[in-house]
Amino acid sequence: MQKTLQEIAQIVNGRVLGDSGLTISGVTNITLAGPGDITFAVEPHIAAAETCAAGAVIIPEDTEHFSKTAILVKEPREAFTKLLEVFTPPLEIQRGISEKAHIGKDVKIGKNVAVMPFAVIDDYAEIGDNVILYPHTYIGQHASIGADTLIYSSVTVREFCKIGERVILHSSTVIGGDGFGFITKDGVHGKVPQVGNVVIADDVEVGAHVGIDRATMGSTVIGRGTKIDNLVHIGHNCEIGANNLIVAQTGIAGSTIVGHNVTFGGQTGVVGHIHIGSNTVLAARSGPIGDIPENVFYAGFPARPHQEWLRAEVAAKKLPEMRKQIKALEKRLQKLEDKK
Amino acid sequence: MQKTLQEIAQIVNGRVLGDSGLTISGVTNITLAGPGDITFAVEPHIAAAETCAAGAVIIPEDTEHFSKTAILVKEPREAFTKLLEVFTPPLEIQRGISEKAHIGKDVKIGKNVAVMPFAVIDDYAEIGDNVILYPHTYIGQHASIGADTLIYSSVTVREFCKIGERVILHSSTVIGGDGFGFITKDGVHGKVPQVGNVVIADDVEVGAHVGIDRATMGSTVIGRGTKIDNLVHIGHNCEIGANNLIVAQTGIAGSTIVGHNVTFGGQTGVVGHIHIGSNTVLAARSGPIGDIPENVFYAGFPARPHQEWLRAEVAAKKLPEMRKQIKALEKRLQKLEDKK
Amino acid sequence: MQKTLQEIAQIVNGRVLGDSGLTISGVTNITLAGPGDITFAVEPHIAAAETCAAGAVIIPEDTEHFSKTAILVKEPREAFTKLLEVFTPPLEIQRGISEKAHIGKDVKIGKNVAVMPFAVIDDYAEIGDNVILYPHTYIGQHASIGADTLIYSSVTVREFCKIGERVILHSSTVIGGDGFGFITKDGVHGKVPQVGNVVIADDVEVGAHVGIDRATMGSTVIGRGTKIDNLVHIGHNCEIGANNLIVAQTGIAGSTIVGHNVTFGGQTGVVGHIHIGSNTVLAARSGPIGDIPENVFYAGFPARPHQEWLRAEVAAKKLPEMRKQIKALEKRLQKLEDKK
């Protein structure tokens, strides 16, 4: 694809600085960009961008001096993301149901779907319009998949689970595996039937190798717009609110309830049966073991306010010094006592 | 399904308190239960259960006052679990070998199995009676699967591995991947062939995305009745005893030997080549780096007795205060010394 | 397979001590070995090996006394690994493209490949000579797989990713899932298109359930000879050098750059956008939050030099004692002050 700088300025609602007839054929980051590419820069990188090899740079509209060809916009990062979409040719996804897929009985399938070879849609499942099922996906009995949802290879959606619209499930993710529930009697663990399901709201994205367990009864719920990274575990009967960001390798044990716009740093571990308030940020590797209020920044294990954690970390570094100080005090005190 | 309270009381071996002709059509938890449902309550929730919306509540037989329709039993939780099973209609699993499955040469398959579309049973494998293989399962050459075992979608059981009876393997789990074994020479890591296998005993349940690596030689072993949660890693040549509970995201490095009835809290990390005694509990996120005795409760990293860990945690919180105390002592001591 | 000790000595370039006509039919570890087997021993286990049940033992060539039949070699472990390979009959892998596989359009496939049932090679992909694709693998559009590479069941290689020669990808691993990139505006997370790919160099091995995310732009890179264990997460735009060892459940956040011959202990967590120098060792569970130099041994979270971490751990254990010491000093000081 090729576009002039003028055409690009129209797409991103910006103003050209320099040669508006310049032809651009690629969109990439500042390190990789060459003379035919456009990239972007924001402070504190704007001055450095003047010497990059890119043909043009998208910069903030209030930039005062810039010696290179540029497009001035309000939000350079957003404009750049838009161009990435425009310049990336979509994959050729062949619509239709592959003859090599397996469709069970009494299945409902919407319009314009792509069901690829060796995908399985089990009995009584419902598939919305424009859904894409990659090879080796398994959609269980009575499960439903909302319109415009994209499910990559080897994903499992177990029976009775409900996936919203415009959801993305990455490869090998498992929705609706049994929760980890047992009753132990005389040292033997008897299985508690896990008869609930998982409900995933619209606009959710789930990374690769994520396990979201079905509820014992009722539903495990993932709220609208929440984004989940790779290798995350979400236990049975959790209720996760809207627009959360759950970074890789985080685990949330069963029955925990989370508000909206919460961020979980990578490798966070949350115990079961607690509440985490909205707009809260949990630092990477933190480990909440009790309720966490709204609007806070917590860190450490057990998780506590980030400032408190920082103070304890600083003090911990002083520990060897503190031991020396105590010994020195002891000596001086002994000397005083001996003089008596 | 519909049953009267009298019929239900007979199923759970209990006694009706109130209208024994009441019709029940659902079994669910106390929050979700409506007038047609039965739920359960144990102390300290029994008083609160009197005001719930459920049609009837299963309560302990020694409850003295209860103003609502109820069934009195010895073990309410167990009775409730039994009812969950009775009221949950089993999925319709069609028995037989799908024409779309692939069966290798010299395979032995028992009676009454369900081998779903796109399942692969490779050469020389043996499948016991009543086994269910979901779509996209792969059973390797010479592997064997015991009777009544249930294997969900996209599970891999590699060559020569042996799975017991009544085992459940959840989706995308991998049994018998190569152990992580290399000999490093001049900075280059040469692969050590992993020619052993994995042996899983009867009544084991394994969550989604679990990796249990095959032994370098001999067998990696999972003991009878052990239950493993999602995203757990078990290294080559581990020997895990009977009736363990291994909670999500735990990792156990190679050649570690674990006794019976051990509990691993979530995100525990165990080094290789150690012994963990029977009946021990490792708290969530603990990290044993040496042998752990029987019958203990350990926590922290490195793992130590829970009481010791607690004391250290309490002391750590006092650190900023201790620094202040040392400074104050220093001042007072200086004053005394100056007086001399 | 059966070989005399003399034949085995020739294979491993060693010298027989005792009956060189002894027939050996198995190679296994010292605990499992019986009279027909050969095993190996190095110090401090050589004396103990004299009483083992093995028919013969491979020992270092400079061993002074050994009362049992043996083969003396320079590197016993290496010799043993070689024998493991010789005595392990390779699996019967049928070459050719299964009629039950799905091959897209304009695909290039080399000689002597094995493409097993239900493998999918999507449009425009390239598969090198001698490649083995197990059942349920998915090779995306325009992806390429180098010669002699082995890909186990249910692996996904997404579009445009490039896999080198002699690579091993274990079951359910996902190469090229979307990076976790969003622009948040008014609390809603907008997806940043992930238009880059993953490039894996020659001789890399990747465990089960590993997620290596595709770059936002450009490539996520795994260097030659690097070995990755199970359940590892590698974020978008990471560049991992050659001959790294990345142990199970480690996570490396996006855009981090790692040198050569680095070891990551199990459950390590690395933040994004940092540099880790060559030849460095990160202890299990360590958590680097800033650049790490070359040639160092770091531990703890936040990661620091191992010696420093050790001192802090030792001091932390003394904390309850330090509190007592401070209290005692306080008392003695009070006594002195009162005397004035």
Side-chain angles (χ1 to χ4, degrees):
Chain A
M1 182 175 300
Q2 289 203 329
K3 291 199 179 289
T4 65
L5 219 53
Q6 186 54 44
E7 290 170 323
I8 291 176
Q10 276 165 3
I11 291 168
V12 299
N13 199 21
R15 186 166 57 84
V16 177
L17 184 74
D19 175 11
S20 63
L22 182 74
T23 300
I24 293 296
S25 57
V27 181
T28 190
N29 65 35
I30 201 153
T31 319
L32 299 170
D37 297 320
I38 192 165
T39 187
F40 83 103
V42 290
E43 287 299 5
H45 305 296
I46 292 174
E50 288 180 300
T51 62
C52 78
V57 187
I58 304 172
I59 52 175
E61 60 187 9
D62 55 359
T63 306
E64 298 203 348
H65 301 284
F66 198 72
S67 59
K68 218 180 148 69
T69 304
I71 294 180
L72 297 153
V73 300
K74 205 170 168 190
E75 298 276 9
R77 202 181 297 267
E78 231 174 273
F80 180 75
T81 298
K82 195 166 190 180
L83 288 185
L84 269 183
E85 278 174 13
V86 170
F87 273 78
T88 304
L91 283 179
E92 293 174 21
I93 302 288
Q94 204 190 318
R95 298 290 159 163
I97 299 173
S98 165
E99 285 185 3
K100 294 174 182 163
H102 175 81
I103 312 297
K105 68 179 175 194
D106 291 329
V107 166
K108 284 183 193 156
I109 300 184
K111 295 170 191 159
N112 195 39
V113 300
V115 179
M116 301 194 193
F118 314 131
V120 172
I121 305 175
D122 213 337
D123 306 345
Y124 316 114
E126 292 188 33
I127 309 294
D129 294 344
N130 308 312
V131 164
I132 298 172
L133 298 183
Y134 266 75
H136 316 124
T137 44
Y138 172 70
I139 310 299
Q141 291 183 24
H142 302 276
S144 70
I145 311 293
D148 303 301
T149 280
L150 167 56
I151 302 188
Y152 283 103
S153 49
S154 294
V155 164
T156 292
V157 177
R158 283 264 306 272
E159 66 273 13
F160 295 106
C161 291
K162 293 176 191 308
I163 311 294
E165 302 189 350
R166 296 173 303 281
V167 169
I168 301 173
L169 303 181
H170 286 284
S171 293
S172 286
T173 264
V174 176
I175 306 297
D178 286 0
F180 197 64
F182 303 93
I183 293 179
T184 303
K185 203 175 167 178
D186 305 328
V188 173
H189 310 298
K191 185 172 177 69
V192 176
Q194 304 290 309
V195 304
N197 70 350
V198 176
V199 175
I200 293 185
D202 298 342
D203 301 303
V204 167
E205 181 164 350
V206 182
H209 306 114
V210 172
I212 304 178
D213 283 353
R214 66 196 308 109
T216 310
M217 292 154 286
S219 299
T220 305
V221 177
I222 309 295
R224 186 184 194 113
T226 282
K227 312 297 183 184
I228 302 177
D229 203 351
N230 296 339
L231 290 159
V232 167
H233 163 75
I234 296 182
H236 49 174
N237 288 92
C238 279
E239 297 177 23
I240 310 292
N243 297 321
N244 280 218
L245 289 175
I246 306 181
V247 180
Q249 295 180 323
T250 287
I252 305 179
S255 299
T256 278
I257 295 174
V258 180
H260 306 307
N261 291 92
V262 175
T263 298
F264 296 77
Q267 296 187 338
T268 289
V270 184
V271 300
H273 297 274
I274 66 169
H275 285 68
I276 297 181
S278 291
N279 308 309
T280 275
V281 174
L282 298 168
R285 289 203 154 186
S286 55
I289 61 168
D291 288 357
I292 307 281
E294 295 191 347
N295 301 307
V296 295
F297 179 19
Y298 268 45
F301 175 64
R304 71 210 85 162
H306 186 254
Q307 281 301 324
E308 196 181 316
W309 177 77
L310 267 186
R311 272 196 300 272
E313 285 296 304
V314 168
K317 282 195 175 168
K318 303 279 182 192
L319 266 176
E321 191 190 320
M322 283 165 71
R323 288 184 72 195
K324 279 183 202 162
Q325 289 171 332
I326 291 172
K327 270 184 200 161
L329 285 174
E330 220 287 331
K331 255 190 193 164
R332 283 161 64 186
L333 193 54
Q334 190 65 50
K335 214 181 246 177
L336 280 183
E337 286 169 342
D338 289 350
K339 281 187 182 160
K340 305 281 141 173
Chain B
M1 182 175 299
Q2 289 205 328
K3 291 201 179 288
T4 66
L5 219 52
Q6 186 53 45
E7 290 171 323
I8 291 176
Q10 276 165 5
I11 292 167
V12 298
N13 199 19
R15 185 167 58 81
V16 176
L17 183 74
D19 175 11
S20 63
L22 182 74
T23 300
I24 293 295
S25 56
V27 180
T28 191
N29 65 35
I30 203 155
T31 318
L32 298 171
D37 297 320
I38 191 165
T39 189
F40 83 101
V42 291
E43 287 299 4
H45 305 296
I46 292 173
E50 289 180 301
T51 61
C52 79
V57 185
I58 304 173
I59 52 175
E61 62 187 8
D62 55 359
T63 306
E64 297 203 347
H65 301 284
F66 199 74
S67 59
K68 216 179 150 67
T69 304
I71 293 181
L72 297 152
V73 299
K74 206 170 168 189
E75 300 276 8
R77 202 180 298 265
E78 232 174 272
F80 180 75
T81 298
K82 195 166 192 180
L83 288 187
L84 269 183
E85 278 173 12
V86 170
F87 273 78
T88 304
L91 283 180
E92 292 173 23
I93 303 287
Q94 203 191 318
R95 298 289 159 165
I97 300 173
S98 165
E99 286 185 1
K100 294 175 183 162
H102 175 82
I103 312 297
K105 67 179 177 194
D106 291 329
V107 165
K108 285 184 193 157
I109 300 184
K111 295 170 194 160
N112 195 39
V113 301
V115 179
M116 301 194 193
F118 315 130
V120 172
I121 305 175
D122 213 336
D123 305 346
Y124 316 113
E126 292 188 32
I127 309 294
D129 295 344
N130 308 312
V131 165
I132 298 172
L133 298 183
Y134 267 74
H136 317 121
T137 45
Y138 171 72
I139 310 299
Q141 291 183 25
H142 302 276
S144 69
I145 312 291
D148 303 302
T149 281
L150 167 56
I151 302 188
Y152 283 102
S153 49
S154 294
V155 165
T156 291
V157 177
R158 284 264 306 270
E159 65 273 12
F160 296 105
C161 291
K162 294 177 190 307
I163 311 293
E165 302 189 348
R166 296 172 304 281
V167 169
I168 302 172
L169 302 180
H170 286 283
S171 294
S172 286
T173 263
V174 177
I175 306 297
D178 286 1
F180 196 64
F182 303 93
I183 294 180
T184 303
K185 205 173 166 179
D186 305 328
V188 174
H189 311 299
K191 183 171 177 71
V192 176
Q194 304 290 310
V195 304
N197 70 350
V198 176
V199 176
I200 294 185
D202 298 341
D203 300 304
V204 168
E205 181 165 349
V206 181
H209 307 112
V210 172
I212 303 178
D213 282 354
R214 66 195 308 110
T216 309
M217 290 153 290
S219 299
T220 304
V221 178
I222 309 294
R224 185 185 195 112
T226 282
K227 312 296 183 186
I228 302 176
D229 203 352
N230 296 340
L231 291 159
V232 167
H233 164 75
I234 296 182
H236 49 174
N237 288 91
C238 279
E239 296 178 21
I240 311 292
N243 296 322
N244 280 218
L245 289 176
I246 306 181
V247 179
Q249 295 180 321
T250 286
I252 305 179
S255 299
T256 279
I257 295 176
V258 180
H260 306 308
N261 291 93
V262 175
T263 299
F264 297 77
Q267 297 187 336
T268 289
V270 184
V271 299
H273 297 274
I274 66 169
H275 284 69
I276 297 181
S278 291
N279 307 310
T280 275
V281 174
L282 298 168
R285 290 203 154 185
S286 55
I289 61 169
D291 288 357
I292 306 280
E294 295 192 346
N295 300 308
V296 297
F297 179 20
Y298 268 45
F301 174 64
R304 70 211 87 161
H306 186 254
Q307 281 301 323
E308 197 181 314
W309 177 77
L310 266 186
R311 272 196 301 272
E313 285 295 305
V314 168
K317 281 195 176 167
K318 303 279 183 193
L319 267 176
E321 191 189 322
M322 282 165 71
R323 288 183 71 196
K324 279 183 203 162
Q325 289 171 332
I326 289 173
K327 270 183 200 160
L329 285 174
E330 220 289 330
K331 254 191 193 163
R332 285 162 60 187
L333 193 55
Q334 190 65 50
K335 216 181 244 177
L336 281 182
E337 288 169 339
D338 289 348
K339 281 186 182 161
K340 304 280 144 175
Chain C
M1 182 175 299
Q2 289 203 330
K3 292 199 178 291
T4 67
L5 220 50
Q6 187 52 45
E7 291 170 320
I8 290 176
Q10 277 165 3
I11 292 168
V12 299
N13 199 20
R15 185 166 57 82
V16 176
L17 182 75
D19 175 12
S20 63
L22 181 74
T23 301
I24 294 296
S25 57
V27 181
T28 190
N29 65 35
I30 202 154
T31 318
L32 298 170
D37 297 320
I38 191 165
T39 188
F40 83 103
V42 290
E43 287 298 6
H45 304 296
I46 292 173
E50 289 180 301
T51 60
C52 78
V57 185
I58 303 172
I59 53 175
E61 61 188 10
D62 56 358
T63 307
E64 297 202 348
H65 301 286
F66 198 73
S67 58
K68 216 178 150 70
T69 305
I71 294 181
L72 298 153
V73 299
K74 204 170 168 190
E75 298 276 9
R77 203 182 297 268
E78 234 174 273
F80 180 76
T81 298
K82 196 166 190 181
L83 288 186
L84 269 184
E85 278 173 15
V86 170
F87 274 78
T88 305
L91 282 180
E92 294 173 22
I93 302 288
Q94 205 191 318
R95 298 288 158 164
I97 299 173
S98 166
E99 286 185 3
K100 293 174 183 163
H102 175 82
I103 312 297
K105 67 179 176 195
D106 290 329
V107 166
K108 285 183 192 156
I109 301 184
K111 295 170 191 160
N112 195 39
V113 301
V115 179
M116 301 194 192
F118 314 131
V120 172
I121 305 175
D122 213 336
D123 305 346
Y124 317 112
E126 291 187 34
I127 309 294
D129 294 344
N130 309 312
V131 164
I132 298 172
L133 299 183
Y134 268 74
H136 316 123
T137 45
Y138 171 71
I139 310 300
Q141 292 183 26
H142 303 275
S144 69
I145 311 292
D148 303 302
T149 281
L150 167 56
I151 303 188
Y152 283 104
S153 49
S154 294
V155 165
T156 291
V157 177
R158 284 263 307 270
E159 65 274 11
F160 296 104
C161 291
K162 294 175 190 308
I163 311 294
E165 302 190 349
R166 296 173 304 280
V167 169
I168 302 174
L169 303 181
H170 285 284
S171 294
S172 286
T173 263
V174 176
I175 306 298
D178 286 0
F180 196 64
F182 302 93
I183 294 180
T184 302
K185 204 174 165 178
D186 304 329
V188 174
H189 311 299
K191 184 172 178 69
V192 175
Q194 303 290 309
V195 304
N197 70 350
V198 176
V199 176
I200 293 185
D202 298 341
D203 300 304
V204 167
E205 180 165 349
V206 182
H209 306 114
V210 171
I212 303 178
D213 283 353
R214 69 196 306 110
T216 309
M217 291 154 288
S219 299
T220 304
V221 178
I222 309 294
R224 187 183 193 112
T226 282
K227 312 296 183 183
I228 302 176
D229 201 352
N230 296 339
L231 289 159
V232 167
H233 164 75
I234 296 182
H236 49 174
N237 288 91
C238 278
E239 296 177 24
I240 310 292
N243 297 321
N244 280 218
L245 289 175
I246 306 182
V247 179
Q249 294 180 323
T250 287
I252 304 178
S255 300
T256 277
I257 294 174
V258 180
H260 306 308
N261 291 93
V262 175
T263 299
F264 296 78
Q267 297 187 338
T268 289
V270 184
V271 299
H273 297 274
I274 66 169
H275 285 68
I276 297 181
S278 291
N279 307 310
T280 276
V281 174
L282 298 168
R285 288 206 156 182
S286 55
I289 62 169
D291 288 357
I292 307 280
E294 294 191 347
N295 301 307
V296 296
F297 180 20
Y298 268 45
F301 174 64
R304 71 209 88 162
H306 187 254
Q307 281 301 324
E308 196 182 315
W309 177 77
L310 267 186
R311 272 197 301 273
E313 284 296 304
V314 168
K317 281 195 176 167
K318 302 281 183 193
L319 266 177
E321 192 189 319
M322 281 165 72
R323 288 183 73 195
K324 279 184 203 161
Q325 289 170 332
I326 290 173
K327 270 184 199 160
L329 284 175
E330 220 287 331
K331 255 191 192 163
R332 284 160 64 185
L333 193 55
Q334 189 65 51
K335 216 180 243 176
L336 281 182
E337 287 169 339
D338 289 349
K339 280 186 183 164
K340 304 279 143 174

